Amino acid sequence: MPFIDVKNLSVHDPVQQKSIVTNMTFSLQQQHCLAIIGESGSGKSTVAKALIGLIPPSLEVEGTILFDDETLTIQTAEQWRGKRIGFISQDAMNAFNPIETIGHQMMETFQRHLGLHGNKGKAHAIAGLERVHLNNPNELLKKYPHELSGGMLQRVMIAIAMMLSPDVIIADEPTSSLDAYNRREVIMQLQRLKEETGAVLIIISHDLGVVQAIADEVLVMHQGEMLEHRPAEKIFTVPEHQQTKHLLETRRRLSAPLETLRQQRVRAFPC
Ligand SMILES: Nc1ncnc2c1ncn2[C@@H]1O[C@H](COP(=O)(O)OP(=O)(O)O)[C@@H](O)[C@H]1O
Ligand SMILES: [Mg+2]
């Protein structure tokens, strides 16, 4: 039985009379990692928002989403967010409250979702920061979001998701605002998150390196429609759809100059 079962999901903008997502049907088994890829504006984030029940009321949603055989509704989404469904967003800075310390925000989350108070919440926060290899967790808890780099905040978000042990983790472009070092770190943390929690992981990314590193399955979107949803190795070796081939080609071409630069560097500075 699939753990997530999406049937005929459509999202429509009645003001602009525009279809944002059209009739998507897909399912996902437990412990699987799905990557959603597609050009900018193809509807990837809208699908992620539908899965966490955060489509703005100005848009119309049709179709059904089942989690573990239970229907997602506004009420269930509210209850499940955090504890059963974790969300790691692209914009780590905006995900935190700028006027509260990291520690306060982590402990408040653990109190609300896990009922951990005082020192128990603090110990849980420290354990989380240690799990994502952030140094001096005690000091980090006293800091405000602006005192941390984007990569560190991204890791704090992953730590929170890890320590809540949700059944599903959705990460929307988790590496797009990071430099190469932090990107690698975050990919490694997401891999660990999947292995250690056994959670279903849905990752939205146009970073094919990330997708190849962690996805079991890939779903390709184009103009609000699902073009194909197949095992990752099949998408990369024998893409079925012309648009998928185009997407892979474009990404390869974009990363090619970087690879050339890297090789030139290796030749110039062999070690
Ligand atoms: N709240 C909204 N109201 C109206 N249109 C929206 C809203 N959110 C997204 N869209 C439109 O839906 C399309 C898909 O957006 P999005 O899901 O963010 O794409 P992606 O994440 O693939 O870049 C875009 O054309 C975007 O402008
Ligand atoms: Mg998006």
Side-chain angles (χ1 to χ4, degrees):
M1 192 177 66
F3 191 74
I4 297 180
D5 204 7
V6 177
K7 284 210 173 75
N8 306 109
L9 174 69
S10 292
V11 180
H12 183 251
D13 178 359
V15 177
Q16 296 189 61
Q17 303 210 336
K18 188 179 114 181
S19 233
I20 297 177
V21 170
T22 313
N23 211 19
M24 274 183 67
T25 295
F26 67 94
S27 57
L28 198 54
Q29 302 291 335
Q30 216 145 12
Q31 295 192 341
H32 270 221
C33 173
L34 171 75
I36 304 183
I37 64 172
E39 81 274 29
S40 182
S42 56
K44 306 180 297 296
S45 294
T46 306
V47 172
K49 284 182 198 147
L51 292 173
I52 47 173
L54 282 182
I55 296 282
S58 58
L59 300 179
E60 293 166 357
V61 189
E62 277 176 44
T64 54
I65 299 171
L66 297 185
F67 272 109
D68 205 10
D69 233 12
E70 278 184 72
T71 307
L72 181 103
T73 61
I74 293 174
Q75 289 79 15
T76 53
E78 181 101 10
Q79 286 164 19
W80 294 349
R81 236 178 279 136
K83 182 68 200 91
R84 294 199 71 191
I85 313 173
F87 186 60
I88 297 166
S89 69
Q90 170 178 5
D91 188 359
M93 193 59 89
N94 275 337
F96 290 92
N97 181 345
I99 59 164
E100 300 282 8
T101 61
I102 295 295
H104 178 90
Q105 298 185 59
M106 289 184 86
M107 282 151 71
E108 195 187 35
T109 305
F110 297 147
Q111 184 174 328
R112 182 155 29 102
H113 293 293
L114 305 177
L116 295 177
H117 294 268
N119 280 341
K120 281 195 179 149
K122 189 174 176 190
H124 207 65
I126 290 175
L129 297 177
E130 281 171 348
R131 270 176 81 176
V132 294
H133 300 293
L134 283 166
N135 294 330
N136 300 325
N138 256 310
E139 288 307 306
L140 212 69
L141 291 182
K142 296 178 200 151
K143 296 213 184 295
Y144 289 87
H146 73 269
E147 295 179 277
L148 272 62
S149 70
M152 288 169 90
L153 285 174
Q154 198 72 274
R155 277 197 263 171
V156 174
M157 250 199 290
I158 294 177
I160 295 172
M162 258 185 182
M163 298 310 278
L164 291 173
S165 307
D167 302 321
V168 181
I169 291 166
I170 301 173
D172 192 357
E173 308 273 9
T175 57
S176 63
S177 57
L178 304 181
D179 58 30
Y181 172 78
N182 278 305
R183 173 176 167 265
R184 199 172 148 266
E185 280 290 309
V186 166
I187 296 171
M188 277 163 47
Q189 297 309 331
L190 287 170
Q191 267 173 329
R192 282 189 55 209
L193 185 77
K194 183 186 144 194
E195 280 156 21
E196 288 182 17
T197 62
V200 171
L201 183 60
I202 299 180
I203 178 162
I204 295 171
S205 184
H206 50 244
D207 184 337
L208 294 184
V210 174
V211 174
Q212 270 181 313
I214 55 181
D216 304 304
E217 309 171 13
V218 178
L219 189 159
V220 185
M221 288 191 72
H222 177 59
Q223 295 181 350
E225 292 188 29
M226 186 179 89
L227 294 185
E228 47 183 318
H229 172 200
R230 294 193 303 141
E233 72 271 13
K234 289 272 189 307
I235 294 276
F236 286 109
T237 52
V238 275
E240 240 167 33
H241 215 282
Q242 196 53 37
Q243 187 60 29
T244 311
K245 288 180 195 158
H246 176 69
L247 204 64
L248 300 183
E249 273 298 304
T250 314
R251 289 292 152 200
R252 276 193 195 115
R253 233 177 302 131
L254 283 176
S255 53
L258 285 178
E259 182 55 23
T260 313
L261 271 180
R262 196 188 64 77
Q263 283 170 3
Q264 282 168 353
R265 212 182 129 82
V266 170
R267 277 199 293 274
F269 307 103
C271 51

